[in-house]
Amino acid sequence: MQKLLLLGDEAIAQAALDAGMSGMYAYPGTPSTEIMEYVQASPGAASGNVRREWSSNEKTAMEAALGMSYAGKRAMVAMKHVGLNVAADAFINSAVTGVNGGLVVVAADDPSMHSSQNEQDSRFYGRFAMVPVLEPRNQQEAYDMIFDAFDLSEKYRLPVLIRITTRLAHSRAAVQRREARAQNSSSLPADPRQFVLLPAIARKQYRALTGLYEKLRTDPVLSGYNRLTKGSNTKAGIITCGIAYNYLLENLRLHNDGHPVLSLAAYPVNSDLVAELVGSCDRVLVLEEGYPLIEEQLRGLLDRDVKVAGRLDGTVPRDGELNPSIVASSLGMQGSAGKEVPAIVRQRPPSFCKGCGHADVFAALAEVMKGFGPGRVFSDIGCYTLGALPPYNMVNSCVDMGASVTMAVGAADAGLFPAVAFIGDSTFTHSGMTGLLDAVIKDSPITVIISDNSTTGMTGGQQSQATGRIESICLGLGVNPDHLRVIVPLRKNNEENMAVMAEELNHHGLSVILAMRECIQTASRNKKAAAAEKNQAE
Amino acid sequence: MKCDIILAGVGGQGILSIAATIGLAAVEEGLFLKQSEVHGMSQRGGDVQSHLRISDREIHSDLIPHGGADLIISVEPMEALRYLPWLSPEGWVVTNSVPYINIPDYPDNAELMAALEDTGNTVVLDADSIARELGSPRSGNMVILGAASSFIPMPFEILEHAVQQLFSRKGKEIVDLNIQALVAGREAAATR
């Protein structure tokens, strides 16, 4: 079979297609976005009629995937780690309903927060929901695991969580493909009440789930991914999780002290393997790309039975992603450090693109807000969060998708006037609409600025769910048409836009200002694509 | 054989095309490859880097350890310096001399050049001018790759072929311009 050079994300996408997936559901989020992008661009997905449209948010994606599973087909849903918070209600309950067609949930964690607000570890969600978790060590394993994940899902009638981190998601390596499997034909669940979580049914199913979760520990496929390599140097044993194993091998290649190594990539873990390693070694070093999940379990509440080194005792930094150099120093190896960064090297934070419409909205808002005082602009997740940086210094909050609107509502309730919410179109349809309804119902004295660039910009310009419909959505939610103002954020309109903002900021009720101008990146890409098409036609 | 390369630049400057070219060449040579990229927020005008590892043996880590890089290829002079902790004592820095100034406190050019000089094994060239003279102002990244090519343990023809593959969708004219840029970069580095 063909060998392909794939990102970890792409390996997962290709594997899902080869494993007979009938539908993929997702909302863009770094570092998970490329999974759906690959499926959308795949000729095989098109010819196999695989459903692959973006969803409004991770919760709707998770539910749609569960629905496809209900109907007997294999479905996958992918999101960044914080997206799993949004999907958590559906995710946790999907373990209780169980599945019909195979259901694979991919969560891409972002330790070190390259493009995120936190570095939460999705393996905890797996344990919380009591579902199998697979954590691939490399691109090939990511590909192979997806096949097993779908099979396990159908064997145990449970969703399976795939947990990856930024480095695997966004690193490319050669991947060997397998023979493709046909899609499932549709079928209803054997038990018509399987998905009905009325308390009486839920209690029964939940009890079954707790028993099933313990059975997973001895599943041969899951256990097969957890490998113990014996060694004669029993002064210290090493446990790695996921890609931490690669960083260990990188160092052992140079200097192998013969430590026994237990490399984990599947959860729940069979405790026999752990007992074998721990029992044979004086102490254990735990290397985890993420939170100290295994380390905490090893230590236990009393932390006195096993000598453990890891993130909790400072052998490994408490936060941030691992790398070969951190692992070297945790092993007590002298890494060969290069030169220091010269003092003249400056920080180069991300910034608005030249000609960005968000920047023009902020320029106008900064002028107008001078008349009202600081600390009043609640913002959200997207490119426009860069309004927090100089020269604007305008953003006072960035918490979670949609929080700008509802935090402004709460601050206004506390007497802050005016309170401004600054949100993009895609974030608005993800989780801002429901908050706006709250504001409509009580006519909150806030001004919501929806900076609509007709795309999901920060993640690379994916389709925004309600392009061209934001105004009618606002009206539909009940925003007073007199206080729903549409502006075009261009420098030449600055005076006019400032006047609109000043009027609405002074209004003691809900206002929505819809600032509409296409993302400069999307516009230029579309222009290039149109030119290329014209070239081809000629 | 192994060659660990840090590619550096500013979001939008095209370091991923350099990575893709070397990647295609490595595949053609039957080598192992791992290439880690930056996506997301920093692509908006922030500093970006890619760790590119090629070897005739299996590669474990997606990231290059500190002091392990054989080569830093940078399309921007200050960005070349940012990754010195990764460079091995015998490693080389090949960088464009043309600064990308999108921050208010960008360092003084003379100081910047002096710091590059200080690093020892350095090739600094004005890739933008070379690309402009060829009538292909956007091929500066290929000029830099050409300048770095003698440090990459692969036949030059394999890189040329990779450029051809990478740009083939864009037509013969674009392919030719990029190959000319690659050759011009190699020559400029050789005649320094």
Side-chain angles (χ1 to χ4, degrees), chain A residues 111-124:
Chain A
S112 282
M113 305 177 225
H114 298 282
S115 213
S116 303
Q117 315 92 276
N118 74 29
E119 55 173 34
Q120 66 186 57
D121 185 331
S122 297
R123 293 177 301 163
F124 279 84

Side-chain angles (χ1 to χ4, degrees), chain A residues 55-273:
Chain A
S55 300
S56 289
N57 64 37
E58 294 85 355
K59 177 178 180 284
T60 67
M62 178 73 218
E63 290 155 349
L66 187 62
M68 179 166 270
S69 161
Y70 173 94
K73 301 214 173 187
R74 290 187 161 186
M76 185 160 82
V77 51
M79 59 201 73
K80 67 183 293 167
H81 56 341
V82 288
L84 193 47
N85 298 334
V86 178
D89 201 1
F91 173 68
I92 304 285
N93 291 329
S94 72
V96 186
T97 61
V99 309
N100 185 22
L103 176 58
V104 172
V105 181
V106 183
D109 295 357
D110 189 19
S112 282
M113 305 177 225
H114 298 282
S115 213
S116 303
Q117 315 92 276
N118 74 29
E119 55 173 34
Q120 66 186 57
D121 185 331
S122 297
R123 293 177 301 163
F124 279 84
Y125 264 116
R127 198 168 58 138
F128 191 29
M130 289 186 271
V131 301
V133 179
L134 293 169
E135 187 185 15
R137 282 164 281 228
N138 54 53
Q139 292 80 353
Q140 181 68 55
E141 194 168 62
Y143 179 89
D144 294 332
M145 272 182 170
I146 293 293
F147 282 80
D148 284 329
F150 275 114
D151 288 348
L152 284 165
S153 174
E154 288 176 355
K155 175 179 175 188
Y156 290 106
R157 322 302 291 168
L158 279 177
V160 173
L161 180 64
I162 304 284
R163 187 254 184 172
I164 57 171
T165 56
T166 306
R167 291 304 167 187
L168 179 62
H170 287 167
S171 175
R172 224 175 273 282
V175 172
Q176 177 78 55
R177 276 181 74 184
R178 293 191 199 175
E179 204 71 54
R181 171 196 182 278
Q183 292 180 32
N184 290 354
S185 49
S186 50
S187 66
L188 287 175
D191 173 3
R193 301 206 301 177
Q194 180 195 332
F195 287 80
V196 187
L197 294 184
L198 279 168
I201 302 168
R203 277 183 215 116
K204 204 172 103 239
Q205 295 195 177
Y206 176 68
R207 194 167 302 136
L209 174 64
T210 57
L212 188 57
Y213 189 64
E214 289 312 311
K215 258 180 70 183
L216 292 175
R217 291 183 195 279
T218 51
D219 178 88
V221 174
L222 286 172
S223 299
Y225 279 116
N226 298 332
R227 296 172 196 138
L228 180 63
T229 312
K230 300 203 168 144
S232 55
N233 184 350
T234 53
K235 270 190 233 158
I238 302 168
I239 297 180
T240 65
C241 298
I243 65 168
Y245 186 55
N246 306 338
Y247 301 141
L248 177 67
L249 289 183
E250 181 77 23
N251 284 295
L252 295 187
R253 207 178 46 140
L254 302 172
H255 186 74
N256 193 338
D257 271 341
H259 297 288
V261 176
L262 175 57
S263 170
L264 300 177
Y267 311 83
V269 173
N270 184 340
S271 56
D272 292 353
L273 272 178

